[in-house]
Short mmCIF file of all heavy atoms in Angstrom, two decimals:
data_model
loop_
_atom_site.label_atom_id
_atom_site.label_comp_id
_atom_site.label_asym_id
_atom_site.label_seq_id
_atom_site.Cartn_x
_atom_site.Cartn_y
_atom_site.Cartn_z
N LEU A 20 -0.56 15.07 -23.58
CA LEU A 20 -0.01 16.25 -24.20
C LEU A 20 0.69 15.83 -25.50
O LEU A 20 0.51 16.64 -26.56
CB LEU A 20 1.02 16.87 -23.23
CG LEU A 20 0.51 17.61 -22.06
CD1 LEU A 20 1.63 18.01 -21.15
CD2 LEU A 20 -0.33 18.78 -22.46
N MET A 21 1.33 14.72 -25.51
CA MET A 21 2.01 14.20 -26.82
C MET A 21 0.89 14.01 -27.91
O MET A 21 1.12 14.24 -29.02
CB MET A 21 2.73 12.98 -26.55
CG MET A 21 4.00 13.16 -25.65
SD MET A 21 5.42 13.80 -26.45
CE MET A 21 5.86 12.45 -27.48
N GLN A 22 -0.28 13.35 -27.45
CA GLN A 22 -1.32 13.03 -28.43
C GLN A 22 -1.91 14.36 -29.08
O GLN A 22 -2.25 14.42 -30.25
CB GLN A 22 -2.45 12.38 -27.77
CG GLN A 22 -2.11 10.89 -27.47
CD GLN A 22 -3.23 10.17 -26.80
OE1 GLN A 22 -4.07 10.72 -26.24
NE2 GLN A 22 -3.18 8.88 -26.87
N ILE A 23 -1.89 15.42 -28.34
CA ILE A 23 -2.44 16.71 -28.95
C ILE A 23 -1.37 17.60 -29.48
O ILE A 23 -1.59 18.75 -29.78
CB ILE A 23 -3.36 17.43 -27.93
CG1 ILE A 23 -2.58 17.89 -26.64
CG2 ILE A 23 -4.51 16.59 -27.51
CD1 ILE A 23 -3.42 18.73 -25.66
N GLY A 24 -0.15 17.07 -29.50
CA GLY A 24 0.94 17.73 -30.26
C GLY A 24 1.69 18.82 -29.36
O GLY A 24 2.33 19.68 -29.89
N ILE A 25 1.63 18.66 -28.08
CA ILE A 25 2.38 19.51 -27.19
C ILE A 25 3.53 18.75 -26.48
O ILE A 25 3.23 17.65 -26.00
CB ILE A 25 1.47 20.16 -26.07
CG1 ILE A 25 0.34 20.96 -26.76
CG2 ILE A 25 2.28 20.95 -25.12
CD1 ILE A 25 -0.64 21.50 -25.69
N ALA A 26 4.70 19.25 -26.54
CA ALA A 26 5.77 18.59 -25.86
C ALA A 26 5.63 18.66 -24.35
O ALA A 26 5.56 19.80 -23.87
CB ALA A 26 7.15 19.15 -26.31
N PRO A 27 5.68 17.54 -23.66
CA PRO A 27 5.54 17.71 -22.23
C PRO A 27 6.73 18.17 -21.58
O PRO A 27 7.88 18.13 -22.12
CB PRO A 27 5.43 16.19 -21.80
CG PRO A 27 5.90 15.38 -22.85
CD PRO A 27 5.79 16.21 -24.08
N PRO A 28 6.55 18.94 -20.50
CA PRO A 28 7.74 19.65 -19.78
C PRO A 28 8.55 18.50 -19.12
O PRO A 28 8.16 17.48 -18.80
CB PRO A 28 7.07 20.56 -18.75
CG PRO A 28 5.81 19.87 -18.50
CD PRO A 28 5.34 19.24 -19.79
N TRP A 29 9.86 18.90 -18.95
CA TRP A 29 10.78 18.00 -18.17
C TRP A 29 10.29 18.02 -16.76
O TRP A 29 9.94 18.92 -16.15
CB TRP A 29 12.17 18.62 -18.15
CG TRP A 29 12.88 18.36 -19.44
CD1 TRP A 29 12.64 18.91 -20.68
CD2 TRP A 29 13.95 17.47 -19.60
NE1 TRP A 29 13.49 18.40 -21.55
CE2 TRP A 29 14.29 17.48 -20.97
CE3 TRP A 29 14.65 16.60 -18.81
CZ2 TRP A 29 15.32 16.75 -21.46
CZ3 TRP A 29 15.67 15.82 -19.30
CH2 TRP A 29 16.03 15.90 -20.66
N ASP A 30 10.10 16.71 -16.25
CA ASP A 30 9.46 16.55 -14.91
C ASP A 30 10.42 15.58 -14.20
O ASP A 30 10.02 14.42 -13.92
CB ASP A 30 8.09 16.07 -15.01
CG ASP A 30 7.42 16.04 -13.73
OD1 ASP A 30 7.84 16.66 -12.68
OD2 ASP A 30 6.43 15.27 -13.58
N THR A 31 11.61 16.02 -13.76
CA THR A 31 12.49 15.10 -13.07
C THR A 31 13.04 15.73 -11.85
O THR A 31 13.08 16.92 -11.74
CB THR A 31 13.70 14.63 -13.94
OG1 THR A 31 14.46 15.78 -14.29
CG2 THR A 31 13.21 13.99 -15.31
N PHE A 32 13.49 14.93 -10.92
CA PHE A 32 14.05 15.41 -9.67
C PHE A 32 15.38 16.19 -10.00
O PHE A 32 15.65 17.28 -9.37
CB PHE A 32 14.36 14.35 -8.71
CG PHE A 32 14.92 14.79 -7.39
CD1 PHE A 32 14.14 15.56 -6.58
CD2 PHE A 32 16.17 14.41 -7.05
CE1 PHE A 32 14.58 16.03 -5.38
CE2 PHE A 32 16.67 14.78 -5.75
CZ PHE A 32 15.90 15.52 -4.97
N ALA A 33 16.13 15.79 -10.94
CA ALA A 33 17.42 16.45 -11.39
C ALA A 33 17.07 17.87 -11.90
O ALA A 33 17.81 18.80 -11.57
CB ALA A 33 18.16 15.71 -12.47
N VAL A 34 16.04 18.01 -12.59
CA VAL A 34 15.67 19.37 -13.14
C VAL A 34 15.22 20.27 -11.99
O VAL A 34 15.61 21.45 -11.92
CB VAL A 34 14.54 19.22 -14.21
CG1 VAL A 34 14.03 20.58 -14.59
CG2 VAL A 34 15.05 18.53 -15.47
N HIS A 35 14.54 19.61 -11.05
CA HIS A 35 14.07 20.39 -9.87
C HIS A 35 15.32 20.88 -9.10
O HIS A 35 15.47 22.09 -8.80
CB HIS A 35 13.19 19.53 -9.01
CG HIS A 35 13.05 20.12 -7.62
ND1 HIS A 35 12.19 21.20 -7.36
CD2 HIS A 35 13.60 19.74 -6.39
CE1 HIS A 35 12.28 21.49 -6.03
NE2 HIS A 35 13.03 20.70 -5.56
N LEU A 36 16.22 20.04 -8.87
CA LEU A 36 17.54 20.41 -8.12
C LEU A 36 18.28 21.52 -9.03
O LEU A 36 18.74 22.44 -8.45
CB LEU A 36 18.35 19.23 -7.85
CG LEU A 36 17.96 18.31 -6.81
CD1 LEU A 36 18.85 17.10 -6.70
CD2 LEU A 36 17.69 19.02 -5.49
N HIS A 37 18.28 21.35 -10.27
CA HIS A 37 18.90 22.31 -11.17
C HIS A 37 18.39 23.71 -10.95
O HIS A 37 19.17 24.66 -10.87
CB HIS A 37 18.79 21.89 -12.57
CG HIS A 37 19.43 22.86 -13.52
ND1 HIS A 37 20.70 22.86 -13.86
CD2 HIS A 37 18.90 23.81 -14.32
CE1 HIS A 37 21.01 23.88 -14.75
NE2 HIS A 37 19.81 24.37 -15.05
N HIS A 38 17.10 23.84 -10.72
CA HIS A 38 16.47 25.10 -10.59
C HIS A 38 16.42 25.54 -9.15
O HIS A 38 16.56 26.81 -8.88
CB HIS A 38 14.98 25.08 -11.17
CG HIS A 38 14.93 25.07 -12.61
ND1 HIS A 38 15.29 25.98 -13.44
CD2 HIS A 38 14.48 23.91 -13.43
CE1 HIS A 38 15.15 25.55 -14.75
NE2 HIS A 38 14.70 24.33 -14.76
N ALA A 39 16.26 24.62 -8.20
CA ALA A 39 16.12 24.97 -6.87
C ALA A 39 17.45 25.32 -6.17
O ALA A 39 17.60 26.16 -5.26
CB ALA A 39 15.42 23.87 -6.13
N GLU A 40 18.48 24.62 -6.58
CA GLU A 40 19.81 24.74 -5.92
C GLU A 40 20.93 24.75 -6.94
O GLU A 40 21.79 23.93 -7.02
CB GLU A 40 20.09 23.57 -4.95
CG GLU A 40 19.03 23.51 -3.88
CD GLU A 40 19.28 22.28 -2.89
OE1 GLU A 40 20.44 22.03 -2.68
OE2 GLU A 40 18.31 21.70 -2.44
N PRO A 41 21.03 25.84 -7.75
CA PRO A 41 22.08 25.87 -8.83
C PRO A 41 23.49 25.91 -8.22
O PRO A 41 24.41 25.43 -8.82
CB PRO A 41 21.74 27.10 -9.52
CG PRO A 41 20.99 27.92 -8.69
CD PRO A 41 20.22 27.02 -7.78
N SER A 42 23.67 26.35 -6.95
CA SER A 42 24.99 26.41 -6.35
C SER A 42 25.54 25.00 -6.18
O SER A 42 26.73 24.83 -6.17
CB SER A 42 24.88 27.16 -4.99
OG SER A 42 24.06 26.43 -4.11
N ARG A 43 24.76 23.98 -5.98
CA ARG A 43 25.20 22.54 -5.85
C ARG A 43 25.93 22.16 -7.12
O ARG A 43 26.92 21.47 -7.13
CB ARG A 43 24.13 21.65 -5.50
CG ARG A 43 23.51 21.86 -4.06
CD ARG A 43 22.46 20.84 -3.76
NE ARG A 43 23.00 19.51 -3.64
CZ ARG A 43 22.40 18.43 -3.43
NH1 ARG A 43 21.16 18.50 -3.32
NH2 ARG A 43 23.01 17.23 -3.44
N ARG A 44 25.34 22.55 -8.31
CA ARG A 44 25.86 22.18 -9.50
C ARG A 44 27.25 22.76 -9.72
O ARG A 44 28.21 22.17 -10.21
CB ARG A 44 24.95 22.51 -10.65
CG ARG A 44 25.37 22.08 -12.04
CD ARG A 44 24.40 22.44 -13.09
NE ARG A 44 24.41 23.93 -13.30
CZ ARG A 44 23.43 24.80 -12.88
NH1 ARG A 44 22.38 24.35 -12.35
NH2 ARG A 44 23.57 26.09 -13.11
N LEU A 45 27.37 23.98 -9.32
CA LEU A 45 28.68 24.72 -9.46
C LEU A 45 29.62 24.09 -8.52
O LEU A 45 30.90 24.06 -8.84
CB LEU A 45 28.48 26.17 -9.10
CG LEU A 45 27.49 26.94 -10.11
CD1 LEU A 45 27.29 28.37 -9.63
CD2 LEU A 45 28.01 26.94 -11.46
N GLN A 46 29.38 23.68 -7.29
CA GLN A 46 30.28 23.01 -6.37
C GLN A 46 30.82 21.71 -7.00
O GLN A 46 32.03 21.46 -6.91
CB GLN A 46 29.62 22.71 -5.06
CG GLN A 46 29.31 23.94 -4.27
CD GLN A 46 28.45 23.59 -3.06
OE1 GLN A 46 28.10 22.43 -2.82
NE2 GLN A 46 28.08 24.56 -2.26
N VAL A 47 30.00 20.97 -7.73
CA VAL A 47 30.48 19.74 -8.30
C VAL A 47 31.48 20.10 -9.46
O VAL A 47 32.54 19.44 -9.60
CB VAL A 47 29.32 18.95 -8.90
CG1 VAL A 47 29.87 17.81 -9.73
CG2 VAL A 47 28.47 18.40 -7.74
N ARG A 48 31.24 21.10 -10.24
CA ARG A 48 32.21 21.49 -11.28
C ARG A 48 33.48 21.88 -10.79
O ARG A 48 34.56 21.61 -11.35
CB ARG A 48 31.56 22.67 -12.08
CG ARG A 48 30.53 22.26 -13.04
CD ARG A 48 30.01 23.38 -13.90
NE ARG A 48 28.91 23.13 -14.66
CZ ARG A 48 28.21 23.96 -15.39
NH1 ARG A 48 28.49 25.27 -15.18
NH2 ARG A 48 27.19 23.65 -16.21
N GLU A 49 33.46 22.67 -9.61
CA GLU A 49 34.67 23.08 -8.97
C GLU A 49 35.63 21.82 -8.50
O GLU A 49 36.75 21.77 -8.63
CB GLU A 49 34.39 24.00 -7.82
CG GLU A 49 33.88 25.36 -8.26
CD GLU A 49 33.42 26.22 -7.19
OE1 GLU A 49 33.54 25.72 -6.01
OE2 GLU A 49 33.00 27.38 -7.43
N ARG A 50 34.89 20.85 -7.93
CA ARG A 50 35.53 19.69 -7.43
C ARG A 50 36.16 18.89 -8.58
O ARG A 50 37.26 18.34 -8.48
CB ARG A 50 34.65 18.80 -6.63
CG ARG A 50 34.51 19.24 -5.17
CD ARG A 50 33.77 18.22 -4.31
NE ARG A 50 32.43 18.83 -4.32
CZ ARG A 50 31.27 18.08 -4.34
NH1 ARG A 50 31.36 16.78 -4.46
NH2 ARG A 50 30.14 18.68 -4.28
N VAL A 51 35.47 18.73 -9.72
CA VAL A 51 35.95 17.98 -10.85
C VAL A 51 37.05 18.74 -11.53
O VAL A 51 37.85 18.03 -12.15
CB VAL A 51 34.70 17.67 -11.73
CG1 VAL A 51 35.13 17.00 -13.05
CG2 VAL A 51 33.71 16.78 -11.04
N GLY A 52 36.94 20.04 -11.45
CA GLY A 52 37.95 20.91 -12.21
C GLY A 52 37.50 21.21 -13.56
O GLY A 52 38.30 21.58 -14.55
N ALA A 53 36.25 21.24 -13.83
CA ALA A 53 35.75 21.70 -15.10
C ALA A 53 35.61 23.19 -15.23
O ALA A 53 35.69 23.95 -14.35
CB ALA A 53 34.31 21.13 -15.31
#
Side-chain angles (χ1 to χ4, degrees):
L20 289 174
M21 295 277 291
Q22 286 179 341
I23 61 174
I25 299 173
W29 282 70
D30 185 22
T31 64
F32 184 62
V34 173
H35 166 74
L36 288 178
H37 176 79
H38 292 291
E40 301 180 34
S42 61
R43 291 181 67 180
R44 185 179 70 253
L45 297 174
Q46 290 173 359
V47 171
R48 286 184 183 169
E49 290 171 0
R50 274 188 263 143
V51 173

